Amino acid sequence: MSLPPVIAIDGPTASGKGTVASLVAQKLGFHYLDSGALYRLVALASEKQGIDSKNGPELGLLIPKLLISFSNHQIFLNGEEVTDTIRTENIGLRASVVAVHPEVRLALVDLQRSFRQSPGLVADGRDMGSVIFPDAVLKVFLTATASARAERRYKQLIAKGISAKLSDLLQDLQERDARDSSRGAAPLIIAKDAKVLETSDLSIDQAVKTVLDCYQSSIA
Ligand code: C5P
């Protein structure tokens, strides 16, 4: 029996892939995997437990002990609701540090693949098409200029009532991009069979429609 189809949506920080991926999943009635949330959960759990973010082996051992669940747009870690806690810039930066370790990446592989359930999955992250779901029926690499991404992040934070400085956000995301692209284990790369979608001048609806159109052509 063939496995349920996967649409892999990868791209750099704040490229809009989370919003686009969850809307595509909603339109198709597919499951949705926000793989970045898993790295953020590891960042938060290790911070709480005082584990050094540079200690790959210890972080790798921590992961199987974590109780992670996603339910109704809420995320729980060891029974505690942490949906907003993991979205801070601090946790995002720490996530990009813990994500460098092969032990951490390996410990999250099965969990990520377990989201592949009928009728299908939309997965977003950095290595969905290149490593986790190499047989994805559609691979999209979503991107936008660093300044467009910083501006989007700035608007999101302000809308949530969180104060932010555009120049700090730009610097943070450039730092994260550099770390994600230069690491040895599963770096952020454009899978060779991925469709690149530059979203600086696209609305969310246009990006969602483009992905849906590509999916329809890939299964036709
Ligand atoms: O996508 P998001 O910003 O939530 O991801 C947080 C961090 O987790 C990223 O900066 C990246 O370092 C890491 N990550 C990863 N591989 C993924 C998803 C996220 O390395 N598939």
Side-chain angles (χ1 to χ4, degrees), residues 20-32 121-122 212:
V20 171
S22 67
L23 286 169
V24 169
Q26 212 177 315
K27 297 258 183 214
L28 294 171
F30 279 15
H31 298 276
Y32 168 55
L121 174 69
V122 183
L212 287 169

Side-chain angles (χ1 to χ4, degrees), residues 107-195:
L108 290 173
V109 169
D110 288 348
L111 177 58
Q112 293 175 87
R113 291 190 177 145
S114 72
F115 282 78
R116 184 176 199 168
Q117 284 175 23
S118 188
L121 174 69
V122 183
D124 94 59
R126 306 291 187 288
D127 60 346
M128 296 298 97
S130 55
V131 176
I132 305 296
F133 303 109
D135 61 337
V137 61
L138 172 65
K139 298 179 187 178
V140 178
F141 190 90
L142 218 68
T143 189
T145 61
S147 58
R149 291 185 281 128
E151 226 162 278
R152 279 180 197 161
R153 176 61 49 90
Y154 179 77
K155 284 186 188 149
Q156 279 169 358
L157 290 172
I158 297 299
K160 282 190 199 160
I162 302 170
S163 70
K165 215 169 127 198
L166 192 58
S167 55
D168 288 349
L169 292 174
L170 181 62
Q171 196 185 330
D172 280 359
L173 75 82
Q174 282 170 332
E175 212 179 292
R176 263 210 271 168
D177 282 356
R179 196 158 30 234
D180 289 349
S181 307
S182 64
R183 68 181 174 222
L188 173 67
I189 48 159
I190 304 177
K192 60 179 180 329
D193 43 354
K195 178 183 168 52

Side-chain angles (χ1 to χ4, degrees), residues 10-14 17-18 34-40 86-87 91-100 105 112 124-128 132 153 176-177 179-180 183 185-186 188:
D10 290 303
T13 298
K17 59 191 187 318
D34 169 7
S35 64
L38 300 178
Y39 290 91
R40 288 171 180 268
I86 60 165
R87 294 295 155 199
I91 291 293
L93 273 175
R94 189 175 167 92
S96 78
V97 176
V98 302
V100 162
R105 308 201 69 85
Q112 293 175 87
D124 94 59
R126 306 291 187 288
D127 60 346
M128 296 298 97
I132 305 296
R153 176 61 49 90
R176 263 210 271 168
D177 282 356
R179 196 158 30 234
D180 289 349
R183 68 181 174 222
L188 173 67

